[in-house]
Each structure stands twice: as C-alpha cells, then as structure tokens.
Amino acid sequence: MVELKVLQAVRLKGEVNPAELAATVDDDPATVARAIAAATEAGLLLPAGRTLKLSPDGRSRLEWLLKQERDGIDRTAMAAAHEEFRCANADFKIVVADWTLKDGEPNTHDDADHDAAVLTRLEQVHARVLAVIDSAGQQIPRLRGYAGKLDAALQKIRAGDTAWLTEPVVDSYHTVWFELHEELLLAADVSPSRDS
C-alpha cells in the first residue's frame, strides 16, 4: 500500500521534501506523487516550509495501517529475523566505527589498505542483511524494498563515492540501515531500549 509507504517514510525521516520522498519510496513515482497529494489534501501530511511532516492525524492513520500490516504475521519468524538483524547490526556498528575512526582518531582515509578492509567487511555484513530482509519480507512484503535501497547505496560506495556509507542527508547505507532497524523493531514489537 503506497499510503503506508509514504507515511512511514515521512515518520522515519522526520521531515522530507516531496521530491526526496518520491525518490525514497519503493514504488512507481507517479503513484507516489498521487499518494503524497492525497495525504496532504487529507491533512495527514503537513507542509513545513519546503518539506512535509506527519500531522497528528497522519500519525494515527500510520499506526492503524501498521497494525493492519502486522495482523496475521508469524511473530516467531519476525522475532527470528530481528534477532538475525541484531547480530548483523553489531558487526555493522564496528564497520562504521572503523570507517570513521582509526587508532582512536578520526580516519583521514589516507590508509587505502585499512579502508579496503573495512569495505570488505561491509560487503560481508551486506550479504547477511539481505538474508534478513528476505526473511522479514516473507512476513511483511513492503520490507523487501530495503534490499534495493541498500544495494543502491553500496553500488555508489563500490564506485568510489564513499560518502554513501554514512552521509546523513541522503539514503546512504547507514541511513537506510537505521530505517530498516526501526522497521524491524516495530514489526517484532521490540522496545528500542531492549534492543542493544
């Protein structure tokens, strides 16, 4: 359901401009544009300068849509997918830490061997998270879109644009990973404080 994808993307991003929202939602751009217009007209999305944010009614509608989506899923399978993600997440945190710091200092990226080793570990984590997405997607098909988003960020990293590993204002690998993490917490009904 495109409405759910749009509202959830706005929730995860906080505020987003319509063009970026259309680019980040895994669906036909024209369909997404119509869903954005309908949600805005219905008062579910509110203009905030050049961006959109959820209204209180939008939050309520999103909660209802997410509840409907989760009805009937195999909770045990979703909990297992979340647990697999937690293990991959621990390794991903180390990858990000090693990318940003080297020997306790900011990584200046002047050691090509160090950076190459970190990116090799990112590839290994990537393979693991794709398996998690496949498992979670069997329960909630909408989550399958995260594989394409992570693949797109990884392709840019492989092409040498390493800002796509951690850049916060684009759908970088780290940004998409964080959003997937939020989705899995919600789907598995796990409190963030209980998820280390």
Side-chain angles (χ1 to χ4, degrees):
M1 170 184 277
V2 180
E3 179 188 24
L4 171 54
K5 290 180 181 180
V6 165
L7 296 178
Q8 180 69 333
V10 174
R11 183 189 79 80
L12 290 169
K13 294 188 177 303
E15 289 186 11
V16 61
N17 76 46
E20 290 172 354
L21 180 57
T24 196
V25 173
D26 179 39
D27 217 306
D28 171 64
T31 303
V32 173
R34 286 191 297 274
I36 292 169
T40 303
E41 185 176 329
L44 304 177
L45 294 176
L46 298 174
R50 294 182 183 196
T51 63
L52 296 169
K53 65 180 183 178
L54 280 179
S55 69
D57 286 345
R59 287 193 182 282
S60 296
R61 174 72 176 160
L62 176 59
E63 288 173 17
W64 184 83
L65 290 169
L66 289 168
K67 183 181 180 316
Q68 298 305 306
E69 181 182 62
R70 292 189 309 267
D71 281 351
I73 68 169
D74 181 336
R75 299 283 179 185
T76 302
M78 188 54 72
H82 174 258
E83 186 58 33
E84 289 174 37
F85 180 84
R86 283 184 69 224
C87 295
N89 190 45
D91 290 337
F92 181 65
K93 287 178 182 178
I94 295 169
V95 165
V96 171
D98 288 348
W99 183 256
T100 55
L101 296 173
K102 183 176 176 247
D103 300 325
E105 299 292 330
N107 185 1
T108 59
H109 303 289
D110 58 357
D111 182 342
D113 291 339
H114 171 84
D115 285 0
V118 172
L119 294 179
T120 296
R121 286 187 283 132
L122 175 63
E123 295 277 357
Q124 295 164 349
V125 170
H126 183 69
R128 291 169 58 198
V129 79
L130 291 182
V132 171
I133 293 169
D134 183 58
S135 296
Q138 291 176 33
Q139 300 304 313
I140 300 178
R142 178 178 61 81
L143 298 181
R144 291 183 180 132
Y146 282 95
K149 289 177 162 189
L150 289 171
D151 278 335
L154 185 58
Q155 288 302 325
K156 289 180 172 93
I157 296 165
R158 286 173 178 153
D161 192 352
T162 55
W164 281 85
L165 178 53
T166 58
E167 183 67 38
V169 295
V170 297
D171 277 347
S172 67
Y173 204 94
H174 186 269
T175 298
V176 174
W177 186 281
F178 177 81
E179 291 174 3
L180 174 61
H181 191 179
E182 290 289 309
E183 293 268 26
L184 292 173
L185 286 171
L186 184 65
D189 197 24
V190 174
S191 158
S193 63
R194 290 182 9 226
D195 186 66
S196 55

PDB file of all heavy atoms in Angstrom, residues 131-157:
ATOM      1  N   ALA A 131      19.820 -11.447   3.624  1.00  0.00           N
ATOM      2  CA  ALA A 131      19.111 -12.645   4.087  1.00  0.00           C
ATOM      3  C   ALA A 131      18.055 -12.284   5.122  1.00  0.00           C
ATOM      4  O   ALA A 131      16.953 -12.847   5.128  1.00  0.00           O
ATOM      5  CB  ALA A 131      20.107 -13.665   4.656  1.00  0.00           C
ATOM      6  N   VAL A 132      18.366 -11.329   5.992  1.00  0.00           N
ATOM      7  CA  VAL A 132      17.394 -10.862   6.990  1.00  0.00           C
ATOM      8  C   VAL A 132      16.199 -10.220   6.290  1.00  0.00           C
ATOM      9  O   VAL A 132      15.039 -10.486   6.632  1.00  0.00           O
ATOM     10  CB  VAL A 132      18.033  -9.854   7.965  1.00  0.00           C
ATOM     11  CG1 VAL A 132      16.985  -9.208   8.860  1.00  0.00           C
ATOM     12  CG2 VAL A 132      19.109 -10.533   8.809  1.00  0.00           C
ATOM     13  N   ILE A 133      16.480  -9.374   5.315  1.00  0.00           N
ATOM     14  CA  ILE A 133      15.399  -8.704   4.595  1.00  0.00           C
ATOM     15  C   ILE A 133      14.519  -9.722   3.886  1.00  0.00           C
ATOM     16  O   ILE A 133      13.287  -9.588   3.871  1.00  0.00           O
ATOM     17  CB  ILE A 133      15.968  -7.663   3.603  1.00  0.00           C
ATOM     18  CG1 ILE A 133      16.622  -6.520   4.378  1.00  0.00           C
ATOM     19  CG2 ILE A 133      14.877  -7.140   2.671  1.00  0.00           C
ATOM     20  CD1 ILE A 133      17.453  -5.579   3.519  1.00  0.00           C
ATOM     21  N   ASP A 134      15.131 -10.751   3.328  1.00  0.00           N
ATOM     22  CA  ASP A 134      14.347 -11.795   2.668  1.00  0.00           C
ATOM     23  C   ASP A 134      13.421 -12.475   3.674  1.00  0.00           C
ATOM     24  O   ASP A 134      12.237 -12.684   3.396  1.00  0.00           O
ATOM     25  CB  ASP A 134      15.283 -12.823   2.012  1.00  0.00           C
ATOM     26  CG  ASP A 134      14.506 -13.875   1.255  1.00  0.00           C
ATOM     27  OD1 ASP A 134      13.733 -13.507   0.343  1.00  0.00           O
ATOM     28  OD2 ASP A 134      14.653 -15.070   1.583  1.00  0.00           O
ATOM     29  N   SER A 135      13.937 -12.811   4.843  1.00  0.00           N
ATOM     30  CA  SER A 135      13.110 -13.456   5.882  1.00  0.00           C
ATOM     31  C   SER A 135      11.992 -12.531   6.349  1.00  0.00           C
ATOM     32  O   SER A 135      10.830 -12.932   6.430  1.00  0.00           O
ATOM     33  CB  SER A 135      13.963 -13.844   7.086  1.00  0.00           C
ATOM     34  OG  SER A 135      14.919 -14.795   6.740  1.00  0.00           O
ATOM     35  N   ALA A 136      12.335 -11.281   6.659  1.00  0.00           N
ATOM     36  CA  ALA A 136      11.333 -10.325   7.130  1.00  0.00           C
ATOM     37  C   ALA A 136      10.315 -10.023   6.040  1.00  0.00           C
ATOM     38  O   ALA A 136       9.118  -9.861   6.313  1.00  0.00           O
ATOM     39  CB  ALA A 136      12.014  -9.043   7.598  1.00  0.00           C
ATOM     40  N   GLY A 137      10.775  -9.975   4.790  1.00  0.00           N
ATOM     41  CA  GLY A 137       9.892  -9.689   3.668  1.00  0.00           C
ATOM     42  C   GLY A 137       8.867 -10.771   3.410  1.00  0.00           C
ATOM     43  O   GLY A 137       7.825 -10.513   2.811  1.00  0.00           O
ATOM     44  N   GLN A 138       9.153 -11.974   3.865  1.00  0.00           N
ATOM     45  CA  GLN A 138       8.159 -13.040   3.745  1.00  0.00           C
ATOM     46  C   GLN A 138       6.970 -12.769   4.656  1.00  0.00           C
ATOM     47  O   GLN A 138       5.862 -13.226   4.392  1.00  0.00           O
ATOM     48  CB  GLN A 138       8.798 -14.394   4.057  1.00  0.00           C
ATOM     49  CG  GLN A 138       9.795 -14.815   2.999  1.00  0.00           C
ATOM     50  CD  GLN A 138      10.511 -16.099   3.345  1.00  0.00           C
ATOM     51  OE1 GLN A 138       9.943 -16.980   3.981  1.00  0.00           O
ATOM     52  NE2 GLN A 138      11.753 -16.218   2.931  1.00  0.00           N
ATOM     53  N   GLN A 139       7.199 -12.041   5.724  1.00  0.00           N
ATOM     54  CA  GLN A 139       6.128 -11.671   6.645  1.00  0.00           C
ATOM     55  C   GLN A 139       5.500 -10.325   6.261  1.00  0.00           C
ATOM     56  O   GLN A 139       4.287 -10.171   6.305  1.00  0.00           O
ATOM     57  CB  GLN A 139       6.661 -11.606   8.082  1.00  0.00           C
ATOM     58  CG  GLN A 139       7.231 -12.910   8.580  1.00  0.00           C
ATOM     59  CD  GLN A 139       6.228 -14.047   8.479  1.00  0.00           C
ATOM     60  OE1 GLN A 139       5.076 -13.892   8.871  1.00  0.00           O
ATOM     61  NE2 GLN A 139       6.652 -15.175   7.932  1.00  0.00           N
ATOM     62  N   ILE A 140       6.340  -9.364   5.919  1.00  0.00           N
ATOM     63  CA  ILE A 140       5.879  -8.022   5.557  1.00  0.00           C
ATOM     64  C   ILE A 140       6.539  -7.672   4.221  1.00  0.00           C
ATOM     65  O   ILE A 140       7.682  -7.195   4.194  1.00  0.00           O
ATOM     66  CB  ILE A 140       6.234  -6.994   6.656  1.00  0.00           C
ATOM     67  CG1 ILE A 140       5.569  -7.386   7.973  1.00  0.00           C
ATOM     68  CG2 ILE A 140       5.807  -5.584   6.225  1.00  0.00           C
ATOM     69  CD1 ILE A 140       5.894  -6.475   9.136  1.00  0.00           C
ATOM     70  N   PRO A 141       5.859  -7.942   3.120  1.00  0.00           N
ATOM     71  CA  PRO A 141       6.468  -7.746   1.795  1.00  0.00           C
ATOM     72  C   PRO A 141       7.032  -6.348   1.558  1.00  0.00           C
ATOM     73  O   PRO A 141       8.023  -6.194   0.835  1.00  0.00           O
ATOM     74  CB  PRO A 141       5.313  -8.055   0.833  1.00  0.00           C
ATOM     75  CG  PRO A 141       4.454  -9.025   1.600  1.00  0.00           C
ATOM     76  CD  PRO A 141       4.532  -8.562   3.030  1.00  0.00           C
ATOM     77  N   ARG A 142       6.456  -5.333   2.162  1.00  0.00           N
ATOM     78  CA  ARG A 142       6.932  -3.960   1.991  1.00  0.00           C
ATOM     79  C   ARG A 142       8.403  -3.820   2.371  1.00  0.00           C
ATOM     80  O   ARG A 142       9.135  -2.997   1.805  1.00  0.00           O
ATOM     81  CB  ARG A 142       6.062  -3.031   2.851  1.00  0.00           C
ATOM     82  CG  ARG A 142       6.430  -1.585   2.842  1.00  0.00           C
ATOM     83  CD  ARG A 142       5.461  -0.775   3.692  1.00  0.00           C
ATOM     84  NE  ARG A 142       5.447  -1.163   5.088  1.00  0.00           N
ATOM     85  CZ  ARG A 142       6.335  -0.767   5.988  1.00  0.00           C
ATOM     86  NH1 ARG A 142       7.308   0.039   5.637  1.00  0.00           N
ATOM     87  NH2 ARG A 142       6.245  -1.157   7.245  1.00  0.00           N
ATOM     88  N   LEU A 143       8.875  -4.624   3.306  1.00  0.00           N
ATOM     89  CA  LEU A 143      10.248  -4.511   3.780  1.00  0.00           C
ATOM     90  C   LEU A 143      11.271  -4.943   2.728  1.00  0.00           C
ATOM     91  O   LEU A 143      12.443  -4.591   2.830  1.00  0.00           O
ATOM     92  CB  LEU A 143      10.444  -5.307   5.068  1.00  0.00           C
ATOM     93  CG  LEU A 143       9.595  -4.860   6.261  1.00  0.00           C
ATOM     94  CD1 LEU A 143       9.898  -5.704   7.486  1.00  0.00           C
ATOM     95  CD2 LEU A 143       9.788  -3.375   6.560  1.00  0.00           C
ATOM     96  N   ARG A 144      10.825  -5.674   1.701  1.00  0.00           N
ATOM     97  CA  ARG A 144      11.752  -6.113   0.653  1.00  0.00           C
ATOM     98  C   ARG A 144      12.404  -4.936  -0.062  1.00  0.00           C
ATOM     99  O   ARG A 144      13.492  -5.069  -0.619  1.00  0.00           O
ATOM    100  CB  ARG A 144      11.023  -7.007  -0.349  1.00  0.00           C
ATOM    101  CG  ARG A 144      10.629  -8.338   0.234  1.00  0.00           C
ATOM    102  CD  ARG A 144       9.979  -9.225  -0.813  1.00  0.00           C
ATOM    103  NE  ARG A 144       9.619 -10.501  -0.219  1.00  0.00           N
ATOM    104  CZ  ARG A 144       8.436 -11.082  -0.368  1.00  0.00           C
ATOM    105  NH1 ARG A 144       7.497 -10.505  -1.095  1.00  0.00           N
ATOM    106  NH2 ARG A 144       8.197 -12.241   0.209  1.00  0.00           N
ATOM    107  N   GLY A 145      11.744  -3.779  -0.058  1.00  0.00           N
ATOM    108  CA  GLY A 145      12.301  -2.596  -0.713  1.00  0.00           C
ATOM    109  C   GLY A 145      13.624  -2.143  -0.113  1.00  0.00           C
ATOM    110  O   GLY A 145      14.404  -1.458  -0.786  1.00  0.00           O
ATOM    111  N   TYR A 146      13.896  -2.529   1.121  1.00  0.00           N
ATOM    112  CA  TYR A 146      15.150  -2.125   1.750  1.00  0.00           C
ATOM    113  C   TYR A 146      16.361  -2.789   1.090  1.00  0.00           C
ATOM    114  O   TYR A 146      17.456  -2.222   1.117  1.00  0.00           O
ATOM    115  CB  TYR A 146      15.118  -2.416   3.255  1.00  0.00           C
ATOM    116  CG  TYR A 146      14.327  -1.374   3.997  1.00  0.00           C
ATOM    117  CD1 TYR A 146      12.987  -1.574   4.303  1.00  0.00           C
ATOM    118  CD2 TYR A 146      14.908  -0.162   4.356  1.00  0.00           C
ATOM    119  CE1 TYR A 146      12.248  -0.599   4.953  1.00  0.00           C
ATOM    120  CE2 TYR A 146      14.188   0.814   5.000  1.00  0.00           C
ATOM    121  CZ  TYR A 146      12.852   0.591   5.297  1.00  0.00           C
ATOM    122  OH  TYR A 146      12.125   1.565   5.929  1.00  0.00           O
ATOM    123  N   ALA A 147      16.180  -3.935   0.487  1.00  0.00           N
ATOM    124  CA  ALA A 147      17.307  -4.581  -0.207  1.00  0.00           C
ATOM    125  C   ALA A 147      17.781  -3.706  -1.357  1.00  0.00           C
ATOM    126  O   ALA A 147      18.985  -3.484  -1.525  1.00  0.00           O
ATOM    127  CB  ALA A 147      16.895  -5.963  -0.701  1.00  0.00           C
ATOM    128  N   GLY A 148      16.853  -3.179  -2.135  1.00  0.00           N
ATOM    129  CA  GLY A 148      17.220  -2.318  -3.257  1.00  0.00           C
ATOM    130  C   GLY A 148      17.875  -1.030  -2.804  1.00  0.00           C
ATOM    131  O   GLY A 148      18.833  -0.547  -3.434  1.00  0.00           O
ATOM    132  N   LYS A 149      17.376  -0.466  -1.708  1.00  0.00           N
ATOM    133  CA  LYS A 149      17.966   0.777  -1.201  1.00  0.00           C
ATOM    134  C   LYS A 149      19.394   0.556  -0.712  1.00  0.00           C
ATOM    135  O   LYS A 149      20.294   1.371  -0.977  1.00  0.00           O
ATOM    136  CB  LYS A 149      17.126   1.336  -0.057  1.00  0.00           C
ATOM    137  CG  LYS A 149      15.800   1.908  -0.476  1.00  0.00           C
ATOM    138  CD  LYS A 149      15.082   2.344   0.785  1.00  0.00           C
ATOM    139  CE  LYS A 149      13.975   3.297   0.515  1.00  0.00           C
ATOM    140  NZ  LYS A 149      13.443   3.869   1.743  1.00  0.00           N
ATOM    141  N   LEU A 150      19.614  -0.532   0.003  1.00  0.00           N
ATOM    142  CA  LEU A 150      20.973  -0.829   0.477  1.00  0.00           C
ATOM    143  C   LEU A 150      21.886  -1.156  -0.698  1.00  0.00           C
ATOM    144  O   LEU A 150      23.044  -0.731  -0.731  1.00  0.00           O
ATOM    145  CB  LEU A 150      20.949  -1.980   1.489  1.00  0.00           C
ATOM    146  CG  LEU A 150      20.347  -1.637   2.850  1.00  0.00           C
ATOM    147  CD1 LEU A 150      20.168  -2.896   3.690  1.00  0.00           C
ATOM    148  CD2 LEU A 150      21.189  -0.613   3.602  1.00  0.00           C
ATOM    149  N   ASP A 151      21.362  -1.908  -1.675  1.00  0.00           N
ATOM    150  CA  ASP A 151      22.156  -2.215  -2.866  1.00  0.00           C
ATOM    151  C   ASP A 151      22.561  -0.934  -3.595  1.00  0.00           C
ATOM    152  O   ASP A 151      23.705  -0.799  -4.035  1.00  0.00           O
ATOM    153  CB  ASP A 151      21.365  -3.104  -3.834  1.00  0.00           C
ATOM    154  CG  ASP A 151      21.410  -4.579  -3.462  1.00  0.00           C
ATOM    155  OD1 ASP A 151      22.378  -5.009  -2.799  1.00  0.00           O
ATOM    156  OD2 ASP A 151      20.485  -5.304  -3.858  1.00  0.00           O
ATOM    157  N   ALA A 152      21.616   0.007  -3.723  1.00  0.00           N
ATOM    158  CA  ALA A 152      21.910   1.265  -4.433  1.00  0.00           C
ATOM    159  C   ALA A 152      23.011   2.046  -3.731  1.00  0.00           C
ATOM    160  O   ALA A 152      23.935   2.565  -4.381  1.00  0.00           O
ATOM    161  CB  ALA A 152      20.640   2.103  -4.547  1.00  0.00           C
ATOM    162  N   ALA A 153      22.940   2.127  -2.403  1.00  0.00           N
ATOM    163  CA  ALA A 153      23.984   2.836  -1.652  1.00  0.00           C
ATOM    164  C   ALA A 153      25.319   2.113  -1.796  1.00  0.00           C
ATOM    165  O   ALA A 153      26.364   2.744  -2.001  1.00  0.00           O
ATOM    166  CB  ALA A 153      23.591   2.961  -0.185  1.00  0.00           C
ATOM    167  N   LEU A 154      25.295   0.780  -1.724  1.00  0.00           N
ATOM    168  CA  LEU A 154      26.532   0.011  -1.825  1.00  0.00           C
ATOM    169  C   LEU A 154      27.155   0.165  -3.211  1.00  0.00           C
ATOM    170  O   LEU A 154      28.383   0.244  -3.336  1.00  0.00           O
ATOM    171  CB  LEU A 154      26.282  -1.462  -1.502  1.00  0.00           C
ATOM    172  CG  LEU A 154      27.512  -2.353  -1.446  1.00  0.00           C
ATOM    173  CD1 LEU A 154      28.521  -1.855  -0.412  1.00  0.00           C
ATOM    174  CD2 LEU A 154      27.113  -3.801  -1.152  1.00  0.00           C
ATOM    175  N   GLN A 155      26.341   0.235  -4.246  1.00  0.00           N
ATOM    176  CA  GLN A 155      26.882   0.436  -5.603  1.00  0.00           C
ATOM    177  C   GLN A 155      27.633   1.757  -5.696  1.00  0.00           C
ATOM    178  O   GLN A 155      28.692   1.836  -6.317  1.00  0.00           O
ATOM    179  CB  GLN A 155      25.748   0.396  -6.638  1.00  0.00           C
ATOM    180  CG  GLN A 155      25.166  -0.988  -6.885  1.00  0.00           C
ATOM    181  CD  GLN A 155      26.205  -1.992  -7.350  1.00  0.00           C
ATOM    182  OE1 GLN A 155      27.135  -1.671  -8.083  1.00  0.00           O
ATOM    183  NE2 GLN A 155      26.058  -3.240  -6.906  1.00  0.00           N
ATOM    184  N   LYS A 156      27.108   2.794  -5.071  1.00  0.00           N
ATOM    185  CA  LYS A 156      27.788   4.089  -5.084  1.00  0.00           C
ATOM    186  C   LYS A 156      29.105   4.014  -4.311  1.00  0.00           C
ATOM    187  O   LYS A 156      30.120   4.598  -4.723  1.00  0.00           O
ATOM    188  CB  LYS A 156      26.871   5.162  -4.506  1.00  0.00           C
ATOM    189  CG  LYS A 156      25.702   5.494  -5.431  1.00  0.00           C
ATOM    190  CD  LYS A 156      24.820   6.569  -4.825  1.00  0.00           C
ATOM    191  CE  LYS A 156      23.778   7.022  -5.820  1.00  0.00           C
ATOM    192  NZ  LYS A 156      22.527   6.340  -5.728  1.00  0.00           N
ATOM    193  N   ILE A 157      29.095   3.291  -3.193  1.00  0.00           N
ATOM    194  CA  ILE A 157      30.327   3.112  -2.409  1.00  0.00           C
ATOM    195  C   ILE A 157      31.357   2.358  -3.240  1.00  0.00           C
ATOM    196  O   ILE A 157      32.533   2.746  -3.304  1.00  0.00           O
ATOM    197  CB  ILE A 157      30.029   2.372  -1.084  1.00  0.00           C
ATOM    198  CG1 ILE A 157      29.104   3.224  -0.192  1.00  0.00           C
ATOM    199  CG2 ILE A 157      31.322   2.020  -0.358  1.00  0.00           C
ATOM    200  CD1 ILE A 157      28.464   2.443   0.949  1.00  0.00           C
TER     201      ILE A 157
END
